[in-house]
Amino acid sequence: MCGIVGYVGERDCTDVLLDSLSKLEYRGYDSAGIAVFENGEITVEKAKGELKNLREKVAEHKPMGHCGIGHTRWATHGEPSDINSHPHGNKRVSIVHNGIIENYKDIKNFLIEKGYTFISETDTETVAKLLDRSGAGKRRQGLSSYPH
Ligand code: GLU
């Protein structure tokens, strides 16, 4: 069963997210990841396997910020892998998700017709792309025209 955490505050967000995810490990998971809002954009680190794999990646390049989300994944769509791990999104929009998006194939086909490409096998990535298409995160950056 997956686990989801989020943090906004004055502490080091990456440390809080990793500590929080460690408290959810008992639920079972196959991969883990975090997204941290850092210097005006979102930085993502994720890794297949135990949380220590993610900690090792973060030790090489630690996202520094005060706002972020974290996830431990229990795969339903797509094998456990670095790419299929959550969060999904881009530098403006990032999501984690628990459960199954039943109509994800319809959403995915719609978005492919609109020119989107997908890098993971997950159902979750369709919602990240749908949010991107809706303009989420773009107004904050002052972008007035959307490419798709
Ligand atoms: N369906 C999503 C996936 O396979 C979420 C799985 C979960 O709840 O961890 O990535």
Side-chain angles (χ1 to χ4, degrees):
M1 193 186 297
C2 93
I4 288 174
V5 297
Y7 178 76
V8 181
E10 293 184 355
R11 291 171 57 194
D12 178 326
C13 180
T14 296
D15 287 348
V16 175
L17 293 175
L18 292 173
D19 287 349
S20 303
L21 289 177
S22 73
K23 292 182 172 63
L24 297 176
E25 282 189 288
Y26 74 94
R27 294 161 66 91
Y29 65 104
D30 54 53
S31 54
I34 59 171
V36 175
F37 188 63
E38 177 185 32
N39 296 327
E41 59 182 36
I42 298 169
T43 300
V44 173
E45 295 289 342
K46 45 195 193 175
K48 176 185 169 183
E50 294 180 21
L51 200 52
K52 69 178 171 60
N53 299 345
L54 177 62
R55 285 188 189 276
E56 282 168 17
K57 277 196 174 177
V58 165
E60 289 169 19
H61 175 258
K62 184 177 182 184
M64 297 301 294
H66 299 282
C67 171
I69 54 177
H71 188 260
T72 47
R73 178 178 186 235
W74 189 267
T76 65
H77 292 65
E79 63 177 4
S81 69
D82 286 0
I83 285 178
N84 288 337
S85 304
H86 297 210
H88 290 281
N90 56 33
K91 291 188 182 305
R92 295 182 303 268
V93 176
S94 190
I95 66 165
V96 294
H97 159 233
N98 173 21
I100 292 171
I101 298 160
E102 298 286 355
N103 62 340
Y104 86 98
K105 281 189 181 160
D106 293 338
I107 299 170
K108 190 168 184 174
N109 288 336
F110 167 78
L111 290 168
I112 288 170
E113 275 178 23
K114 300 294 177 191
Y116 280 85
T117 55
F118 288 78
I119 59 168
S120 82
E121 303 165 291
T122 66
D123 49 346
T124 306
E125 190 182 1
T126 60
V127 171
K129 295 277 195 298
L130 203 56
L131 280 168
D132 179 72
R133 180 173 156 75
S134 79
K138 291 177 182 166
R139 273 183 291 274
R140 180 177 47 73
Q141 293 200 325
L143 303 177
S144 56
S145 62
Y146 308 147
H148 298 286

